[in-house]
Amino acid sequence: MQILYEDNHIISVVKPSGVLSQADGSNVPDMVNLLKEDIKERYEKPGNVFVGLVHRLDRNVGGTMVFAKTSKGASRLSAELRDKRFYKAYFALAQGLTSENEKVLVNYLYKDEKNNIVRQDKEKGKKSVLKVIRLAETKENGGRTLFLALPITGRAHQIRAQLSMAGMPLLGDGKYGKGLVGNDAADMGLWSCHVAVKHPVKDETMHFTSIPENKGVWSTFETSEYKKGAGISLERIKEWFTI
């Protein structure tokens, strides 16, 4: 378990790709139960351990997550998320090239719950706004671009769907990538690199970052490119969130 930060109220960790955020009835490992076991063992806690899920990442998405260690913390962090004071930015590794350093994508996304996929639907869909910042690119393998993706609205599969609709699907995304490398349960080019939120009991904004290991789809660029993206200041990210 890669722990980025921990105190009595919150814990920030790196979720590996392939692990669920929370249990779904299958036998696949999930972060909530893994954290409960880890905390129970490290602190030799008797009885049940509280771990509150505040936000989710898709199973095949890795990266930074924040969990609550108290019910009060869970309630306050969830309120920050609802009030859009919970900042999240992602590395999005897409197939294709663009001439624009920054772009704002707007779609009306409707989720087909039965098939667990979102589609463009101007009548039934919800307005979805995504800002992407170009961090790096390569002309190899047909052209690939590394974006910093900032979901201005929080919709299911938003980054995956909107980049695909823009003609730049994520590498390894079997659901929206039209047969690119990998499948829906594989490691794909989406990583939670920045999470920032106000601490539940301190008057302080906590900012946590992580980068993917340089393997699989992430070997497309050097580690230095990911470190550079993770080193962007929170002030700059907040600025980009204002459109």
Side-chain angles (χ1 to χ4, degrees):
M1 188 70 65
Q2 185 180 348
I3 299 173
L4 302 174
Y5 175 84
E6 182 180 14
D7 62 23
N8 291 333
H9 306 278
I10 64 173
I11 181 168
S12 177
V13 298
V14 177
K15 181 181 99 63
S17 174
V19 178
L20 294 168
S21 293
Q22 67 177 148
D24 65 354
S26 66
N27 292 321
V28 177
D30 71 277
M31 291 301 296
V32 171
N33 281 306
L34 288 173
L35 275 171
K36 285 181 178 180
E37 293 171 10
D38 174 71
I39 292 170
K40 187 179 181 70
E41 182 178 335
R42 283 192 293 116
Y43 294 104
E44 299 181 349
K45 283 182 171 283
N48 294 326
V49 172
F50 180 90
V51 172
L53 182 73
V54 180
H55 64 117
R56 294 171 174 79
L57 293 178
D58 289 347
R59 174 180 171 181
N60 47 356
V61 178
T64 310
M65 292 190 74
V66 175
F67 295 83
K69 291 177 67 178
T70 65
S71 57
K72 179 190 287 186
S75 176
R76 291 182 177 178
L77 290 175
S78 296
E80 293 289 303
L81 184 64
R82 287 193 304 272
D83 295 339
K84 303 186 185 305
R85 294 192 297 266
F86 198 118
Y87 296 91
K88 294 179 286 183
Y90 300 78
F91 289 134
L93 183 54
Q95 186 74 49
L97 300 171
T98 177
S99 60
E100 299 173 88
N101 290 324
E102 298 183 19
K103 62 167 66 177
V104 177
L105 305 177
V106 180
N107 299 93
Y108 288 81
L109 301 182
Y110 172 75
K111 186 173 184 183
D112 178 349
E113 296 287 352
K114 182 179 179 181
N115 296 299
N116 190 31
I117 194 168
V118 299
R119 311 180 193 281
Q120 168 87 339
D121 190 321
K122 288 191 175 181
E123 292 185 1
K124 296 189 290 184
K126 295 180 179 178
K127 185 177 181 180
S128 304
V129 183
L130 175 69
K131 177 175 274 192
V132 290
I133 315 295
R134 183 174 60 181
L135 298 177
E137 65 179 16
T138 176
K139 293 182 179 178
E140 296 181 4
N141 300 305
R144 295 177 176 182
T145 302
L146 176 65
F147 291 109
L148 185 70
L150 301 98
I152 308 302
T153 53
R155 312 294 185 210
H157 299 181
Q158 180 175 342
I159 299 171
R160 299 167 64 181
Q162 288 194 261
L163 279 172
S164 179
M165 290 170 186
M168 300 185 71
L170 296 178
L171 290 175
D173 188 349
K175 182 164 295 204
Y176 300 97
K178 301 177 182 178
L180 290 176
V181 178
N183 54 54
D184 195 47
D187 188 27
M188 70 172 176
L190 190 60
W191 182 270
S192 171
C193 54
H194 290 265
V195 173
V197 66
K198 184 179 177 182
H199 193 280
V201 299
K202 300 178 186 177
D203 186 20
E204 180 181 354
T205 297
M206 311 299 291
H207 182 198
F208 309 113
T209 66
S210 67
I211 65 171
E213 288 187 63
N214 194 263
K215 63 181 183 179
V217 296
W218 299 107
S219 63
T220 301
F221 294 100
E222 297 294 328
T223 298
S224 58
E225 297 290 354
Y226 304 120
K227 287 183 176 180
K228 191 187 303 180
I232 294 171
S233 70
L234 178 57
E235 289 71 25
R236 187 68 170 132
I237 290 173
K238 286 182 176 180
E239 189 178 304
W240 277 327
F241 262 96
T242 304
I243 63 171

